[in-house]
Amino acid sequence: NRDNEYIDLIISDINMPNMDGVELLSHIRKIDINIPFIFTTAYTNTDFLISSIQDGVTDYFVKPVDAKAIIQKVQKTCEIMQKKDEAIHYQNEAQKYLDIINKVAIVSIFDLRGNFTYVNDFFIEVSQYEEKELLGENFQMISHPDMSKEIFKKQWKTLQDGNVWKGKLKHISKNGSAFYTNTTIIPMDFNEEKVPTKYISVRFLTTK
């Protein structure tokens, strides 16, 4: 890419005066491994096919070339590349949102036994526990003693039934100080029996 120029696709013959098509493809792949590359050739040489496949040729046409067929192939290839670009864009956007959430939300994942398998940095910061002190422990370990046991029974029943649980909770940090959250816990990764095998908890700090 130079001066905002963008190449969508390359079509090349095999036989060229200074560099054959396979060599050109090899050089192109050192610069861009994703750009679609289509060959036109008068031969169906096995060695050529193997070399071009190894270097990532998108497709090839044997001469005489059907203009309609190659135009359709170009259109289809460009549509596929556009969808890939869009997918990468959405993945990047999603990662940005996750990065933001990790800075402002207390995020954790626990398994079907209720034991932590993941805690984010903000969780560690607020709870004042180290990661190794949390992983493998029950997710209710930061629940404040003031909280009614009945709340957690209903919470766990809701989650095991595969439903999202939302509510306000009071927690206790490692040094004994209390903090409050608006909490959403979402069941994930349902097995064949439609039972969730893990849960993701997203908590936002709030006032009492």
Side-chain angles (χ1 to χ4, degrees):
N1 297 345
R2 186 179 62 181
D3 298 329
N4 295 322
E5 292 180 359
Y6 181 81
I7 299 174
D8 292 301
L9 180 142
I10 296 173
I11 301 176
S12 171
D13 202 341
I14 287 293
N15 298 315
M16 296 186 293
N18 297 319
M19 178 188 296
D20 69 36
V22 175
E23 288 180 277
L24 174 61
L25 173 60
S26 180
H27 281 285
I28 292 294
R29 284 293 173 252
K30 293 176 183 177
I31 301 170
D32 190 327
I33 62 172
N34 295 315
I35 187 169
F37 198 109
I38 297 175
F39 276 132
T40 60
T41 178
Y43 308 99
T44 55
N45 183 286
T46 302
D47 292 336
F48 145 68
L49 291 175
I50 292 174
S51 297
S52 60
I53 290 171
Q54 289 175 337
D55 285 326
V57 70
T58 305
D59 209 337
Y60 74 95
F61 290 90
V62 178
K63 295 179 181 178
V65 175
D66 182 337
K68 184 178 180 180
I70 200 168
I71 289 173
Q72 289 176 340
K73 183 62 182 180
V74 167
Q75 289 176 333
K76 184 176 181 180
T77 301
C78 288
E79 287 173 2
I80 292 172
M81 291 303 297
Q82 182 181 4
K83 289 179 180 178
K84 286 183 178 179
D85 289 342
E86 289 175 352
I88 292 172
H89 170 74
Y90 291 132
Q91 287 173 358
N92 291 338
E93 286 296 305
Q95 187 59 52
K96 290 179 184 177
Y97 296 141
L98 287 174
D99 291 342
I100 293 171
I101 288 173
N102 275 325
K103 293 177 181 177
V104 300
I106 301 167
V107 180
S108 62
I109 298 174
F110 51 92
D111 60 23
L112 73 172
R113 293 181 297 277
N115 297 331
F116 287 122
T117 59
Y118 168 82
V119 290
N120 73 340
D121 291 341
F122 195 47
F123 190 115
I124 294 168
E125 179 184 339
V126 173
S127 72
Q128 300 180 8
Y129 285 97
E130 294 183 22
E131 182 182 49
K132 62 183 179 181
E133 295 178 293
L134 293 165
L135 296 183
E137 297 297 327
N138 190 271
F139 77 103
Q140 292 181 8
M141 70 175 288
I142 61 168
S143 299
H144 198 282
D146 290 350
M147 294 293 297
S148 167
K149 300 298 181 183
E150 191 62 29
I151 290 176
F152 295 113
K153 287 181 182 179
K154 291 179 179 179
Q155 178 192 67
W156 192 235
K157 176 67 166 57
T158 299
L159 294 174
Q160 287 185 314
D161 288 343
N163 299 314
V164 174
W165 185 90
K166 294 182 180 182
K168 299 179 185 295
L169 297 175
K170 183 178 181 180
H171 309 281
I172 186 168
S173 64
K174 185 177 180 180
N175 70 357
S177 59
F179 62 97
Y180 302 84
T181 65
N182 284 324
T183 300
T184 300
I185 305 177
I186 305 168
M188 299 178 65
D189 291 358
F190 291 79
N191 59 23
E192 293 179 355
E193 287 75 35
K194 298 182 179 181
V195 175
T197 60
K198 70 178 182 182
Y199 308 85
I200 182 167
S201 170
V202 181
R203 312 171 198 250
F204 292 94
L205 289 174
T206 184
T207 61
K208 182 177 179 181

